[in-house]
Amino acid sequence: MSVAIQLSEFTTLRLGGPAERLVEAREADALVAAIGSADAERRPVLLVAGGSNLVIADAGFDGTAVLVRTSGVAAVRDGDDVLVTVAAGQDWDAVVARAVAEGWSGIECLSGIPGSAGATPVQNVGAYGQEIREVFDSATVLDRRDGATRVFGPADCDFGYRHSLFKHNDRYVVLDVTLRLRVDARSAPIRYPETARSLGVEVGETVPLELARDTVLKLRRGKGMVLDPSDPDTFSAGSFFVNPVIDRSTFDKIVERTGETPVNFPADDDGVKLSAAWLIAHAGFDKGYGRDGVAISSKHTLALTNRGSGTTDALLRLAAEVRDGVAARYGVELRPEPVLVNASL
């Protein structure tokens, strides 16, 4: 009797039951063929690359899980820029490390983010003052509706805060991503106050690429946000909740009602982006809080972790408790950032 392979082996949370079928794709053509075959058989498809943004049910996935293992980085100079095309399955931090080594500026503050390059436009990945949409040039995309591959530019992708056309949309599969980076040994202007303080510079200044990368990696390690097999605080899906964006009047009402001023940042359309980590902590959930083998990270309140004996059910119960606690205190509903597979919150 064959033993089902648990999807927990392929997620950073180390959670998730078996898939009905597991296929590995190392080339773009193989990836397209695997998806096409499953679609022809009307089987559900789950794409698994770095597994850093997936919360998979303990029952697993009743369909075909495709391990995206495509790789490769190609660069073409374009004036003062370089166009860098990266296969969807390529390890993201390896891309950043290469960019820094080559003197390609624009993604250095996205260092240490686990997962694959193909996932970055899906989430419009961002951290420490940089976002993928700022350097995104194009992506080769499979349209599962007709089996055709197309090239999408920035205007096609509906980028927003932790959002894109591809998020929660099974129609399109990113096969590769092309980034437009600046040929420059110095970073893009430092925007994030925490990064600037750690660097000892003012917001808006630039620093050598290697210094920016090293500083961000240090900050992320301090929050348990760089994968470490010896540290259960890194057995997470990164930030579990998206920083909520509310309108100015709602923010003023929160301040008036609670007598507290949540940590906040300007958002588009005169909105206010709140710190989900601040909301969680001030709603009474301390670092390390948890039970049943899962807990809030001991380093960062925004990460929910598997301490080694947890289950997806236990993790989602903890997430619901945190979400409901924040809603009760501040009237703000936190939304999960990871993709929930065969599960709900």
Side-chain angles (χ1 to χ4, degrees):
M1 179 183 295
S2 62
V3 178
I5 298 177
Q6 302 294 305
L7 291 172
S8 57
E9 295 185 24
F10 308 106
T11 70
T12 53
L13 266 167
R14 304 188 178 191
L15 296 176
E20 181 184 18
R21 179 186 294 178
L22 191 68
V23 178
E24 183 177 69
R26 292 190 171 275
E27 303 292 338
D29 288 347
L31 176 56
V32 170
I35 294 169
S37 175
D39 286 346
E41 297 175 6
R42 299 186 181 277
R43 288 176 176 269
V45 174
L46 174 65
L47 299 177
V48 183
S52 61
N53 200 47
L54 294 177
V55 179
I56 302 174
D58 298 313
F61 180 69
D62 187 19
T64 299
V66 180
L67 301 181
V68 183
R69 297 295 182 258
T70 57
S71 61
V73 179
V76 177
R77 186 71 180 259
D78 183 23
D80 293 334
D81 297 336
V82 60
L83 293 172
V84 183
T85 300
V86 188
Q90 180 72 43
D91 177 75
W92 172 251
D93 192 55
V95 176
V96 181
R98 168 136 181 222
V100 169
E102 297 278 1
W104 304 336
S105 177
I107 56 175
E108 53 281 348
C109 290
L110 300 180
S111 292
I113 295 175
S116 69
T120 58
V122 176
Q123 288 287 113
N124 182 26
V125 164
Y128 295 98
Q130 291 182 344
E131 279 188 326
I132 281 296
R133 64 175 163 181
E134 298 167 340
V135 295
F136 179 88
D137 180 84
S138 62
T140 305
V141 174
L142 169 68
D143 186 343
R144 293 172 64 188
R145 184 170 294 178
D146 58 12
T149 57
R150 298 183 171 87
V151 176
F152 281 18
D156 301 312
C157 297
D158 190 28
F159 285 127
Y161 173 64
R162 301 298 178 270
H163 173 81
S164 77
L165 171 74
F166 311 115
K167 190 171 184 179
H168 305 308
N169 182 350
D170 292 336
R171 175 176 173 179
Y172 301 109
V173 177
V174 176
L175 303 177
D176 65 42
V177 181
T178 297
L179 307 175
R180 179 175 290 275
L181 305 179
R182 192 176 72 256
V183 178
D184 194 333
R186 295 186 71 81
S187 70
I190 301 298
R191 297 177 183 162
Y192 200 68
E194 183 183 17
T195 314
R197 287 194 300 271
S198 297
L199 287 164
V201 300
E202 296 294 325
V203 170
E205 292 187 40
T206 66
V207 298
L209 291 176
E210 290 187 5
L211 180 58
R213 173 172 166 78
D214 290 347
T215 299
V216 167
L217 286 173
K218 183 178 179 180
L219 288 170
R220 291 185 66 88
R221 287 192 184 99
K223 299 174 183 178
M225 295 292 191
V226 176
L227 293 179
D228 180 348
S230 67
D231 184 0
D233 274 331
T234 71
F235 302 171
S236 77
S239 299
F240 195 90
F241 294 105
V242 177
N243 289 327
V245 177
I246 60 176
D247 59 52
R248 178 65 59 178
S249 64
T250 300
F251 177 77
D252 292 340
K253 290 175 183 177
I254 291 173
V255 174
E256 181 180 359
R257 179 169 56 84
T258 66
E260 301 173 276
T261 302
V263 170
N264 64 94
F265 310 91
D268 293 340
D269 300 323
D270 198 34
V272 180
K273 181 169 68 176
L274 304 181
S275 164
W278 187 96
L279 294 172
I280 292 167
H282 286 76
F285 298 98
D286 295 328
K287 295 173 184 177
Y289 176 84
R291 63 178 71 86
D292 300 328
V294 299
I296 294 173
S297 167
S298 68
K299 299 181 179 71
H300 193 358
T301 52
L302 201 48
L304 305 186
T305 65
N306 170 19
R307 309 312 291 182
S309 60
T311 63
T312 300
D313 282 347
L315 187 86
L316 292 175
R317 287 196 300 271
L318 175 61
E321 183 182 359
V322 170
R323 177 200 61 195
D324 294 347
V326 168
R329 183 168 181 82
Y330 296 105
V332 175
E333 182 171 356
L334 297 180
R335 295 183 295 106
E337 185 165 330
V339 175
L340 307 185
V341 179
N342 194 22
S344 61
L345 178 60

